[in-house]
Every structure is written in structure tokens, then in C-alpha cells.
């Protein structure tokens, strides 16, 4: 079982010993973003022994899977489902490159959404739409109270 996470920041090398252009661009982009290098964050004594490292990866996978499953369950029962799912992904990201890439992508998308939400034009539009919605709800409640009084809908007799 090869997870490709034995070292940190691996770069594929061509058969002639040179790095490909895409690999150089990827490694420069990683350094430019000040992100941690990809790869296993297991202790050195664990990485030095193949079977111990494989056991370590299996344990990390099982713990991360348990947390992700708990998060999925929390999507339908009360609880912070998405937060727990991302916590499980963070556990996986300590060992697996694919989870690190998913987590980086998610962080980028959240940062972009936050930036868009803080745009003054978007905030002004959201405030206007929320105010308009509240006015419509207030008018509907006012019409109901004027027509039926403070009587609950299930207690209203034929009208």
C-alpha cells in the first residue's frame, strides 16, 4: 500500500534527473503560499520503519474515518456536522497527501467566500434583502393579527 507520503515535499524527477516544468511550478507555488510541505507528519522513528509507518497510517485512517462518520451522522442529528467532518479531514491530512490537498482547496474556497462576503456592495445587498424580508414577514404577521387576533391557527374556527 503506497500512499506517497514517505517524505515531505516530494517532487517527481524525470529519468534524466531534471524536474519537469509542472513539478517546478507546483513546488514554487507551494513555497510562495507559505504552506507546509506535503507529506507525512509522523515522527521520524515511525517513518524510519516501513511496517511501523504503515501501521501508523492505518491507525490515522481509522481514527479520521471514525471522526468523519461521526460528522456525517451529525448532519442529520443535532451537532456540528461539517465542523467534525473537517476535523476528520484534518486528522487525515496529518498523514495523507490527498487529504492535505483537499484541505488546502477547502481553505482557499472559504477564504474566497469570506472575501466576497465582506465586499461592501455584497454586504449592502444582503442587508437590503434581509430588511425587505423582515418587512414582508412583519406585514404578513400584522395582517394575520388584524384578521384573527392573537388566536393560534389551529384554534381558529371556520371563517
Amino acid at each position: 500500500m503506497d500512499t506517497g507520503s514517505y517524505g515531505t515535499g516530494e517532487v517527481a524527477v524525470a529519468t534524466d534527473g531534471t524536474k519537469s516544468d509542472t513539478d517546478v511550478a507546483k513546488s514554487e507555488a507551494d513555497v510562495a503560499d507559505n504552506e507546509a510541505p506535503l507529506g507525512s507528519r509522523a515522527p521520524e522513528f515511525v517513518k524510519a520503519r516501513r511496517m511501523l509507518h504503515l501501521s501508523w497510517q492505518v491507525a490515522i485512517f481509522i481514527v479520521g474515518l471514525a471522526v468523519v462518520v461521526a460528522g456525517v451522522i451529525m448532519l442529520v442529528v443535532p451537532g456540528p456536522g461539517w465542523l467534525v467532518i473537517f476535523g476528520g479531514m484534518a486528522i487525515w491530512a496529518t498523514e495523507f497527501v490527498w487529504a492535505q490537498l483537499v484541505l488546502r482547496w477547502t481553505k482557499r474556497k472559504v477564504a474566497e467566500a469570506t472575501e466576497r462576503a465582506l465586499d461592501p456592495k455584497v454586504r449592502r445587498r444582503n442587508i437590503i434583502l434581509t430588511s425587505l424580508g423582515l418587512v414582508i414577514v412583519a406585514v404578513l404577521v400584522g395582517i394575520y393579527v388584524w384578521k384573527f387576533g392573537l388566536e393560534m391557527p389551529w384554534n381558529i374556527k371556520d371563517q
Side-chain angles (χ1 to χ4, degrees):
M1 179 169 135
D2 184 14
T3 60
S5 59
Y6 298 116
T8 57
E10 297 123 356
V11 175
V13 178
T15 55
D16 61 353
T18 61
K19 295 179 183 177
S20 69
D21 292 337
T22 56
D23 296 327
V24 171
K26 287 179 185 176
S27 63
E28 289 173 357
D30 287 346
V31 172
D33 293 337
N34 294 327
E35 293 176 340
L38 296 175
S40 175
R41 293 188 181 98
E44 289 302 321
F45 76 91
V46 171
K47 287 193 273 187
R49 293 163 184 85
R50 175 116 172 92
M51 285 307 293
L52 186 57
H53 191 225
L54 185 61
S55 301
W56 178 272
Q57 288 179 329
V58 169
I60 293 293
F61 183 80
I62 290 171
V63 170
L65 183 64
V67 173
V68 168
V69 167
V72 169
I73 291 170
M74 286 184 201
L75 291 176
V76 293
V77 300
W82 286 109
L83 185 65
V84 174
I85 290 172
F86 290 128
M89 289 297 296
I91 291 170
W92 278 338
T94 63
E95 195 58 35
F96 302 107
V97 173
W98 61 268
Q100 293 169 0
L101 295 174
V102 168
L103 219 50
R104 284 183 184 180
W105 178 83
T106 304
K107 286 178 184 178
R108 260 195 326 272
K109 292 299 178 181
V110 167
E112 291 171 7
T114 302
E115 188 176 314
R116 279 194 312 266
L118 294 177
D119 180 33
K121 291 179 182 177
V122 174
R123 289 186 71 210
R124 186 176 17 243
R125 183 198 66 203
N126 289 345
I127 290 171
I128 290 170
L129 289 174
T130 302
S131 300
L132 183 63
L134 288 174
V135 167
I136 290 171
V137 168
V139 167
L140 291 174
V141 167
I143 291 171
Y144 177 85
V145 169
W146 172 69
K147 183 163 176 80
F148 301 109
L150 294 175
E151 196 69 31
M152 291 292 142
W154 50 85
N155 291 335
I156 296 176
K157 304 295 182 242
D158 293 331
Q159 297 222 356

